[in-house]
Amino acid sequence: MSKFRTNFDFNRISKEIYQWFPGHMAKGLKKMYENLPNVDAVIEVHDARAPFTGRNLIFRQSVVGNKPYAYVLNKADLTDLKDKDRIISKLSKDGYSPIYFTNLRDSAEKTYRKILPDITSQIESQFRFNRELTTSFHLLVVGVPNVGKSTLINKLRNFHLKKGNAVRVGSEPGITRAVQSKVKINQNPLVYIYDTPGVLEPSFENIETGFKLACLNCVKNHQVNADILADYLLYRLNSQLVYQH
């Protein structure tokens, strides 16, 4: 029996995947910066299957800064959480804390309900500079495409305000293409939240980052031949001794 590959040949891939920063992302990023003076806290949503992949670190530092913050790892039901403690430890050391593992598609999911009380408590414990006289709180939700940012907003609104969905959701990246008008998600205290388009780094450090995000449908995977993407996924599964496929 022949041995499994120990590496994957990325040279056959179009270099276009290195660059994935469509116009709506650039416009969205600009709008986020414009809104920052009105933002009290930031919620970042990411895919739990790749907790360290594709994060825009420069963007996070410039947008989040010292503002109250929460890191939501959604789609936790689609990954093996045996390394959960290691993931939390590594992310916390990098400043990603507090961390919430969620499955927002599950109607019985309750972890997300902790996010708003926790983050409003953070806001109330800090000086708000130019917003100290403002009684309402404004949150900004950010993250890579197609990880559940809009779904989280709807879930928070459904639970805390007992109102219907306010933002459109979908299973493909790029549903939200502009920074939306603020959405009310709580009455007391009065809390609004801005939905934003998914934003990636302007270019990937290495092509494998692009492949991982394409496998998770965080980038439009038409940029990579489906056969090659499937071949890469098979290589990854075999290299991790996962043979259930």
Side-chain angles (χ1 to χ4, degrees), residues 14-31:
S14 167
K15 295 301 184 286
E16 287 181 5
I17 196 171
Y18 276 104
Q19 300 290 332
W20 175 251
F21 203 70
H24 74 272
M25 285 190 184
K27 291 178 182 177
L29 190 55
K30 181 181 178 182
K31 187 66 175 177

Side-chain angles (χ1 to χ4, degrees), residues 5-230:
R5 290 169 292 179
T6 57
N7 55 62
F8 188 83
D9 180 16
F10 290 103
N11 292 324
R12 53 188 169 140
I13 312 304
S14 167
K15 295 301 184 286
E16 287 181 5
I17 196 171
Y18 276 104
Q19 300 290 332
W20 175 251
F21 203 70
H24 74 272
M25 285 190 184
K27 291 178 182 177
L29 190 55
K30 181 181 178 182
K31 187 66 175 177
M32 285 181 223
Y33 286 128
E34 291 175 356
N35 281 345
L36 280 183
N38 301 317
V39 170
D40 298 298
V42 177
I43 300 173
E44 182 173 358
V45 186
H46 205 72
D47 195 309
R49 293 170 290 179
F52 312 116
T53 300
R55 296 171 298 165
N56 190 331
L57 301 182
I58 296 176
F59 161 72
R60 180 188 180 277
Q61 292 166 359
S62 58
V63 170
V64 178
N66 294 319
K67 294 181 184 295
Y69 173 81
Y71 192 56
V72 179
L73 287 170
N74 190 33
K75 305 185 182 182
D77 58 308
L78 301 179
T79 189
D80 185 349
L81 292 178
K82 67 178 184 299
D83 292 328
K84 182 177 179 179
D85 290 342
R86 180 184 66 83
I87 292 170
I88 292 174
S89 176
K90 179 173 173 52
L91 287 170
S92 296
K93 287 179 181 177
D94 292 339
Y96 292 83
S97 180
I99 300 164
Y100 304 86
F101 287 83
T102 63
N103 170 18
L104 296 175
R105 299 183 305 172
D106 184 356
S107 59
E109 157 69 38
K110 295 182 180 179
T111 302
Y112 76 92
R113 298 179 182 180
K114 303 175 184 177
I115 298 172
L116 187 58
D118 288 353
I119 209 159
T120 53
S121 178
Q122 286 188 61
I123 296 171
E124 290 170 339
S125 68
Q126 294 187 14
F127 183 66
R128 292 204 289 162
F129 299 101
N130 63 313
R131 291 178 52 75
E132 67 271 15
L133 299 179
T134 306
T135 56
S136 62
F137 298 155
H138 286 183
L139 314 180
L140 184 71
V141 61
V142 301
V144 302
N146 201 32
V147 289
K149 297 183 296 298
S150 299
T151 301
L152 175 62
I153 290 174
N154 286 333
K155 295 279 280 189
L156 292 172
R157 177 178 167 87
N158 298 160
F159 177 71
H160 293 288
L161 202 58
K162 311 303 180 189
K163 296 283 188 179
N165 292 351
V167 292
R168 183 181 168 213
V169 299
S171 60
E172 293 294 321
I175 295 296
T176 304
R177 300 183 66 85
V179 176
Q180 306 293 314
S181 300
K182 61 185 182 183
V183 174
K184 185 178 178 180
I185 60 170
N186 197 64
Q187 180 60 43
N188 187 23
L190 188 57
V191 181
Y192 296 94
I193 194 166
Y194 293 101
D195 193 14
T196 65
V199 174
L200 296 163
E201 294 179 278
S203 61
F204 298 127
E205 233 178 72
N206 61 72
I207 200 167
E208 189 165 10
T209 295
F211 263 71
K212 290 178 180 178
L213 294 174
C215 285
L216 299 178
N217 206 26
C218 292
V219 301
K220 291 187 176 180
N221 51 31
H222 68 262
Q223 288 188 287
V224 183
N225 182 285
D227 292 341
I228 297 176
L229 200 59

